[in-house]
Amino acid sequence: MSTTSLGGSSWRWRWIPALALLVVAFHFSPLGRTLDRGFFDAASRRPLAAPVAPPPSALVLIDENTMDRLGREPFAMRWPFPRAAFAALIVGLERAGAERIVLDLTFFDQSESAEQDLLLAGTAAASPKVVLGRTAQRGPVFWTNEFRRAHAAHFATAREGDVEFLPDDDGVARRYRVTGSLAAAALPRPPTKSGDALVRWHGPLESLDPANVARLAAAPFIEAGWPMLDRMSQAAPDFSPDALAAALAREPELSGGSFDLVRGRTVFVGANASGTFDVKPLPIGRLEPGVLLHWTAWANLRTGAFIRESGHAFVLGLAALFAALIFLAAARWPGVGAPVTAALGLVVLAGVGAYAALAAGWFLPPATPVAAVLLTLLGVVAEGFWQEQRRKREIQSMFGAYVDPGVVAQLVRDPDSIRLGGERREATVFFSDLAGFTDLSEKLRDQPERMVEIVNAYLEETTERLLDHGAYVDKYIGDAVMAVFGAPQPSPHHAREACFAALETQRALVGINARYAGPTGVTLAVRIGLNTGEMIVGNLGSSRKKNYTVMGDAVNLASRLEGANKHFGTGILLGEETARRVQGEFATRPLARLRVKGKLQAIEVHTLHGVPAELPEHERAFLTHYRAGYDAYCARAFDRAAEELEAADRLMPGDLTTQRLREESRRFRTTPPPDNWEPVLTLDSK
């Protein structure tokens, strides 16, 4: 590119409007948010400066140690623990001198013991230090409105806080809703902060300073609180908060070990043992206990450390400034060296500046300024780049109906292949159709949206299995699917991949039936036909509309085999060549020498059972007896055929072909067929 094109005003004014639109679109796009979040997460894991430490606190966790200790005698408890265990935990923490006891635990449902519900309700209410978790819709089941009115003195201050997990759309929680939250309820007085705020992280659980944040197992507190709770329940048999509070005050204080580490501290209680299902994706670790989010928000409230975010206008203004500097470098110094150098410097400045700003309590999202720099730099050499892209876009637009991206990629590499005609190639063709679809259509005739939902779910699962094994999905015809293995990209193992895809398609339908069979009353099944052979592949159609597809006798036979499943009561039928190619890798079973409509020559069709090592023992035994019976039947040894097929039927009753061959063998024992008899089955329907 000439230096004139780099520095000329006509070039600049050509690209500035497009650049501005691209930068704004990027700023509000999912990609921009994803990159900014990635930067925030990385910077939060390794901050430039450690955040201000909050007052001493503690995290008491129902961890693996707790699960192990309470799982042994005399407790012998399994998760979820009985409500009495949580009451004992509260008693233990209270008598150890905790200043505030904040439970990131929810009690939404009645337990198996109404007495234990009352005990936990009274114990938690008896201590004004206790805060329980709730959501906007549901609170502790045992703190009913009636209970609160009856014991109003115990609910004069906030006793509940919202624990609902509110992640970004990538599933990771970076913000915290302060109003009504568990962290806000843990404070001695209501916070001045409200709404959502970006959290400044102190690190993952294992990296917290143990001198400031004690990390303790819940087991010692439950064990110590259990006998106290027993005495309290005897002293207050009605479990009223007033009586339990008086009984609690009479219990001795706990000291030593873990007990000293909670005295005078705000204690957050949560769970992180496997099986408790309370680990959450947070920026500072792949998965952390959910209670860490609430503790961190509390620490931010205590120290005023929530992060302030730069507004859209500021970020876009900074991006415009960076783009202007690149334009200035391109105009002032000919060539690409100056713009490239300026771009590198500005990218480094954006990253380092955002990193330092985060440590100072501001989040300046760097993705948009960096994108503005890179897009502006690309604009310097855009003319040559867009010429190549225009050519690719034209091809992609022409063949946008192709399902498989491999076809488009091949045409982009070789545009001369875009012509009517084709070539002969060996491949395996896949046809599938839904059995039960007619019944489903009838039952859902007044619910077209539901019908489309079910069909799309089936097509989605089937397509994924096909593409996973290298297929080109040729077309959808209603609920039917046609696909090709071995074209357009050649594959030496196309028959094997087709068999794997067929088996996985059948297994995928199990999940679809689990979702929809109950509401619709119809259980769907899939019929699949596979056939391997030589066929014509290429672009077929008119000058206005082309389709990359296959045709030939091998293709037609695959379609016939799919329909023939109805006659044999099978799910997957293989042509003779397909079955021959996969022998040894898959367990197949010959069904008949089949002559389909329109063909004089019969072929032996097989049904596909699966990978031999994965079949159950009785199915492998069935195949052994069946094959022996089938071979004897074809050899006119009808006595042995009837015996073997009878043994096969006992192993897998209900197989139509086994029963048909057994009955014919019995009949032929007494009335042999003529000498020119052949075991050929003719299907007159398609």
Side-chain angles (χ1 to χ4, degrees):
M1 186 175 291
S2 68
T3 57
T4 303
S5 66
L6 284 175
S9 61
S10 61
W11 176 86
R12 288 198 303 272
W13 291 113
R14 184 189 310 165
W15 286 102
I16 286 175
L19 174 66
L21 289 175
L22 282 172
V23 171
V24 172
F26 175 86
H27 178 70
F28 292 102
S29 71
L31 176 60
R33 291 194 297 272
T34 298
L35 293 175
D36 285 330
R37 289 169 181 167
F39 175 85
F40 178 84
D41 294 352
S44 296
R45 286 192 288 270
R46 294 178 176 81
L48 186 63
V52 177
S57 57
L59 290 169
V60 172
L61 300 171
I62 299 171
D63 55 8
E64 299 295 346
N65 175 271
T66 301
M67 300 288 276
D68 179 60
R69 288 170 63 170
L70 297 186
R72 299 195 297 264
E73 294 295 340
F75 300 101
M77 290 188 291
R78 294 290 180 269
W79 187 263
F81 293 161
R83 297 281 161 88
F86 299 107
L89 175 59
I90 291 171
V91 171
L93 288 168
E94 207 282 346
R95 299 317 295 158
E99 181 180 276
R100 198 76 162 155
I101 303 169
V102 187
L103 278 71
D104 178 25
L105 301 169
T106 55
F107 304 97
F108 293 150
D109 301 310
Q110 299 284 353
S111 71
E112 296 178 356
S113 170
E115 182 180 69
Q116 291 207 16
D117 286 343
L118 289 173
L119 178 60
L120 179 55
T123 304
S127 174
K129 303 176 180 181
V130 174
V131 177
L132 298 185
R134 63 163 300 126
T135 64
Q137 294 77 31
R138 304 175 70 185
V141 68
F142 41 72
W143 278 357
T144 62
N145 290 334
E146 181 182 359
F147 183 90
R148 291 168 176 272
R149 286 193 297 270
H151 308 287
H154 294 277
F155 293 91
T157 59
R159 304 301 307 276
E160 300 174 11
D162 195 341
V163 297
E164 192 165 359
F165 184 68
L166 301 172
D168 292 331
D169 52 23
D170 62 351
V172 179
R174 300 175 182 86
R175 290 173 174 80
Y176 193 80
R177 185 166 297 165
V178 174
T179 306
S181 67
L182 192 69
L187 297 175
R189 61 186 61 86
T192 56
K193 181 111 182 129
S194 62
D196 293 359
L198 199 59
V199 177
R200 176 179 292 187
W201 298 93
H202 289 247
L205 180 67
E206 295 303 320
S207 70
L208 297 180
D209 180 8
N212 183 256
V213 188
R215 301 189 305 273
L216 307 169
F221 299 95
I222 297 175
E223 292 168 349
W226 198 274
M228 296 183 182
L229 183 67
D230 185 50
R231 292 191 293 270
M232 290 166 55
S233 61
Q234 293 177 29
D238 62 347
F239 301 147
S240 70
D242 291 331
L244 286 171
L248 179 61
R250 290 194 296 268
E251 291 298 327
E253 293 186 355
L254 298 173
S255 61
S258 296
F259 306 129
D260 291 344
L261 295 176
V262 302
R263 183 168 294 108
R265 298 189 180 202
T266 296
V267 177
F268 280 79
V269 178
N272 70 334
S274 58
T276 57
F277 306 107
D278 192 30
V279 289
K280 308 294 185 185
L282 302 178
I284 36 77
R286 180 164 298 183
L287 289 174
E288 293 288 338
V291 70
L292 184 62
L293 172 62
H294 301 292
W295 175 87
T296 306
W298 170 82
N300 281 201
L301 287 170
R302 290 302 302 264
T303 59
F306 276 113
I307 294 172
R308 290 160 289 183
E309 298 181 71
S310 301
H312 296 302
F314 180 84
V315 175
L316 290 172
L318 185 63
L321 174 62
F322 281 16
L325 292 174
I326 298 294
F327 277 117
L328 180 62
R332 185 76 177 269
W333 294 281
V336 297
V340 168
T341 301
L344 289 175
L346 290 171
V347 168
V348 171
L349 177 63
V352 173
Y355 188 46
L358 194 63
W362 283 90
F363 179 49
L364 171 60
T368 298
V370 169
V373 169
L374 297 179
L375 288 171
T376 306
L377 183 63
L378 285 176
V380 175
V381 290
E383 289 182 353
F385 171 78
W386 284 110
Q387 286 177 355
E388 180 65 19
Q389 291 306 301
R390 187 182 303 113
R391 173 175 173 270
K392 292 182 179 181
R393 285 196 300 272
E394 288 173 355
I395 293 175
Q396 290 167 343
S397 175
M398 182 181 298
F399 294 93
Y402 285 167
V403 178
D404 182 49
V407 179
V408 178
Q410 178 174 304
L411 295 178
V412 168
R413 290 193 300 270
D414 182 16
D416 293 336
S417 65
I418 307 174
R419 62 181 184 275
L420 296 179
E423 60 176 321
R424 286 195 167 273
R425 184 180 298 181
E426 184 183 79
T428 298
V429 182
F430 172 107
F431 277 92
S432 74
D433 196 12
L434 279 177
F437 187 72
T438 302
D439 290 342
L440 184 67
S441 301
E442 178 65 23
K443 291 197 174 186
L444 297 181
R445 63 181 181 273
D446 297 326
Q447 303 179 56
E449 299 86 355
R450 193 63 181 272
M451 169 68 77
V452 171
E453 177 187 347
I454 295 173
V455 172
N456 281 342
Y458 160 70
L459 294 177
E460 175 72 20
E461 294 287 347
T462 299
T463 300
E464 287 301 312
R465 272 62 183 180
L466 292 168
L467 296 180
D468 286 347
H469 289 280
Y472 161 53
V473 181
D474 188 317
K475 60 179 64 73
Y476 304 109
I477 309 169
D479 60 306
V481 181
M482 175 184 174
V484 186
F485 293 81
Q489 303 298 327
S491 169
H493 306 297
H494 47 79
R496 180 182 69 186
E497 296 302 324
C499 289
F500 274 123
L503 291 170
E504 291 179 14
T505 296
Q506 279 193 330
R507 287 194 286 267
L509 199 60
V510 174
I512 294 174
N513 280 326
R515 275 187 285 166
Y516 297 110
T520 63
V522 177
T523 299
L524 299 173
V526 62
R527 296 188 295 260
I528 299 173
L530 302 177
N531 191 48
T532 302
E534 193 174 72
M535 57 198 70
I536 296 173
V537 302
N539 297 305
L540 304 179
S542 68
S543 60
R544 293 173 63 89
K545 177 68 176 177
K546 299 182 180 70
N547 185 36
Y548 188 90
T549 188
V550 295
M551 62 180 183
D553 286 345
V555 179
N556 297 334
L557 181 56
S559 176
R560 303 284 180 83
L561 291 177
E562 179 273 309
N565 278 291
K566 290 181 283 188
H567 177 84
F568 291 105
T570 52
I572 304 174
L573 280 184
L574 311 181
E576 189 168 7
E577 181 62 19
T578 307
R580 186 187 69 79
R581 295 285 184 94
V582 300
Q583 284 301 313
E585 294 185 84
F586 292 91
T588 68
R589 172 166 59 101
L591 301 179
R593 299 286 299 174
L594 184 67
R595 182 182 293 117
V596 297
K597 185 177 180 180
K599 295 293 179 182
L600 296 178
Q601 184 177 0
I603 63 162
E604 187 170 66
V605 298
H606 290 239
T607 186
L608 179 62
H609 281 257
V611 178
E614 297 176 358
L615 298 180
E617 181 62 34
H618 78 278
E619 190 169 353
R620 292 199 295 268
F622 163 80
L623 290 173
T624 300
H625 286 291
Y626 176 89
R627 289 190 186 109
Y630 179 84
D631 291 342
Y633 174 83
C634 293
R636 302 174 66 101
F638 299 117
D639 287 332
R640 181 162 182 255
E643 178 183 335
E644 293 288 351
L645 292 167
E646 179 66 34
D649 187 57
R650 286 194 298 271
L651 289 165
M652 293 186 67
D655 181 72
L656 296 182
T657 302
T658 303
Q659 294 173 350
R660 177 180 63 81
L661 295 179
R662 181 192 62 192
E663 295 307 314
E664 288 187 4
S665 297
R666 289 174 176 173
R667 187 173 73 251
F668 288 157
R669 282 192 300 193
T670 57
T671 308
D675 293 340
N676 63 349
W677 170 84
E678 292 181 347
V680 174
L681 183 65
T682 300
L683 289 184
D684 294 326
S685 64
K686 295 185 179 182

